[in-house]
Amino acid sequence: MHQSRLLSALLTSLALLASGCSVGSASSTAADSSGSAQMPSASAGSHDATGDKSIAVYACEPKSLTSTNVNEPCGQDTITFLYTPLVQIDDAFNPVFGDQYPDTAASAIETSDDLKTITITLKDGWTFHNGEPMDADSFIRAWTYGANPKNAQENLDFYRHIEGFDDVQNGSTTELSGLKAIDPRTIQVTLKTPFAPFVGSLVHTAFFPMPKAALEDLDAYNERPIGNGPFKMADSWQHDRSIDMVAFEDYKGKRPDVRRVTNRIYENTTTAYNDLLAGNLDIIEELPFELADSYETDLGDHVVVLPATTLNYLGLPVTKAPFDDKRIRQALAMAIDRKTIAKAIWRDTMAPADDYVNPRVGGYREGACTYCEYNPEEAKKLFDEAGGIDGPLEVWFNSGAGHEVWVEAVANDWKKNLGIDDVTFKTLNTSDYYQKIDSGEYTGPYRRSWSADYPSMENYLSPLMGTGSEKNNSGYSNPAFDALLEQGNGAATLEEAKQLYQQADDLALEDMPLIPVSFGKKYSGTSERISGYDLDFNGRIKITEVMVKE
């Protein structure tokens, strides 16, 4: 949806709220076809109203479907259906595995007394969708490929704790010396130094297995991945249209009730919402927040509200003037009225952020971020002391995902409170946007979000702000911050690790390379055909829990 239309909708909504009226149903508004990709034909995601087990699910266009290269929501949401990880994360945020957890690939995991050797035993009899055995070599194959810098995989950083990683990076070898197949069902992982969250991190796509067939034709594998999960590809990836899957009949985990899934690709969540209301879509994992006033009227009991681990933030290019002065960064953070934005724009579907760590994760501290408190007077003082910003301030965000209104609200706060008159917006479609940000091709604040890959403070701090991290787009580097993270990684207990991570968190919150803006909740919507809906720790659909009404 175009920015002007979103603003118009917002103003109308606020006016109605002020007058005590409710906002009209979104179903009465025509979908913005200009905001969606070329849509699939009706047959691609259609289902038989008599009660078959096919469903259509909202999706966005992934950057990749190769597990070692998937570290963004569009790809993760999709391949979660195709793979079963070694571990899952339970409601207490602990890694779990074994026979009592059918949708895990590990039957046992043991850690040595020095915390450096992890022995993983795989469940017996599991196979990939092409019939290849899911064995120790299939995991070692994937992690070795992902760790090789020549392969330029997004998840390279996840293997940095494994012994031999540095040798692979400098090109002296292509093998991780810390990986060994003891027998076909046993993987021995030796770490360079202890890493307290390692077992929990095994839930991530970086640690999915890879069959031999993948390396025989990587391009073909990316277009039609071969996983070990409850669903297999029904056809190749139809870019900007759909990704179709069918249930894997030989799956050894929990048998899903759903028999076919069409991941229908949209560029615009509002268009998807109207398709949900029209009966052309069964699940939207995250409803567009700008239509929050219509959720209950439109969907009733089929709105599912679940906690999320999301941190929405604005990154800053800290190596470029004027953002290399932390007073500018602190001033920008303090000048944002998060509470008003959360109430007026997000309709309380998100909460003001006051830490880099989401409240769902152990170690979060309420009010940890001093500069997240709205203080326009102090913000202007710091801003002026640092010399302000000369010339235009260019703010970057991806279009079509509902970010237009809140990013403009932030910019208006900066104009009003800091006197920045010239603010422009740089918008791109989601795929191009991520590529630009990841390659450092941005000139000012950029919108991004992060959800925990595994349940640890470290997973917010190290990837986003650790020196040299693949996801550290801001360019932030602080040796003291890095040292505290390393100390936490090597701590004897998780409690000791948490205390060290909190000290690192405090350093970063003072330096403010990223501006925390909001913590997310997941508002999902389903059609009347769906029951038993739930999300995992990462906020992705538990496809084996979805039930389809007859």
Side-chain angles (χ1 to χ4, degrees), residues 164-183:
F165 178 81
D166 295 335
D167 293 332
V168 173
Q169 301 315 295
N170 65 31
S172 60
T173 181
T174 59
E175 303 297 323
L176 289 166
S177 59
L179 296 181
K180 182 178 180 181
I182 302 299
D183 58 50

Side-chain angles (χ1 to χ4, degrees), residues 445-492:
Y446 59 90
R447 182 222 70 84
R448 198 123 196 202
S449 64
W450 183 264
S451 296
D453 298 309
Y454 46 90
S456 172
M457 289 185 70
E458 182 274 341
N459 186 234
Y460 290 86
L461 303 177
S462 182
L464 297 181
M465 292 172 287
T467 299
S469 168
E470 291 289 315
K471 291 301 176 183
N472 181 354
N473 300 128
S474 72
Y476 176 66
S477 180
N478 182 333
F481 173 83
D482 295 334
L484 284 166
L485 288 179
E486 285 302 313
Q487 291 175 44
N489 293 345

Side-chain angles (χ1 to χ4, degrees), residues 397-452:
F397 64 91
N398 54 307
S399 59
H403 301 301
E404 291 90 339
V405 178
W406 77 262
V407 172
E408 180 162 314
V410 169
N412 287 336
D413 281 343
W414 288 341
K415 291 179 181 179
K416 176 180 66 175
N417 297 322
L418 301 177
I420 304 174
D421 296 324
D422 192 358
V423 179
T424 60
F425 300 100
K426 183 70 173 179
T427 64
L428 297 165
N429 66 55
T430 297
S431 180
D432 291 341
Y433 176 78
Y434 285 137
Q435 289 177 1
K436 292 286 187 183
I437 300 303
D438 287 343
S439 62
E441 298 178 58
Y442 59 90
T443 54
Y446 59 90
R447 182 222 70 84
R448 198 123 196 202
S449 64
W450 183 264
S451 296

Side-chain angles (χ1 to χ4, degrees), residues 41-59:
S41 63
S43 62
S46 62
H47 43 67
D48 183 352
T50 60
D52 73 349
K53 299 295 184 176
S54 299
I55 64 171
V57 177
Y58 165 83

Side-chain angles (χ1 to χ4, degrees), residues 156 170 237 265 277 363 391 441:
L156 179 146
N170 65 31
W237 175 6
I265 297 171
L277 299 183
E441 298 178 58

Side-chain angles (χ1 to χ4, degrees), residues 141-152:
R141 180 182 302 117
W143 306 355
T144 300
Y145 178 80
N148 191 328
K150 292 182 179 179
N151 298 327

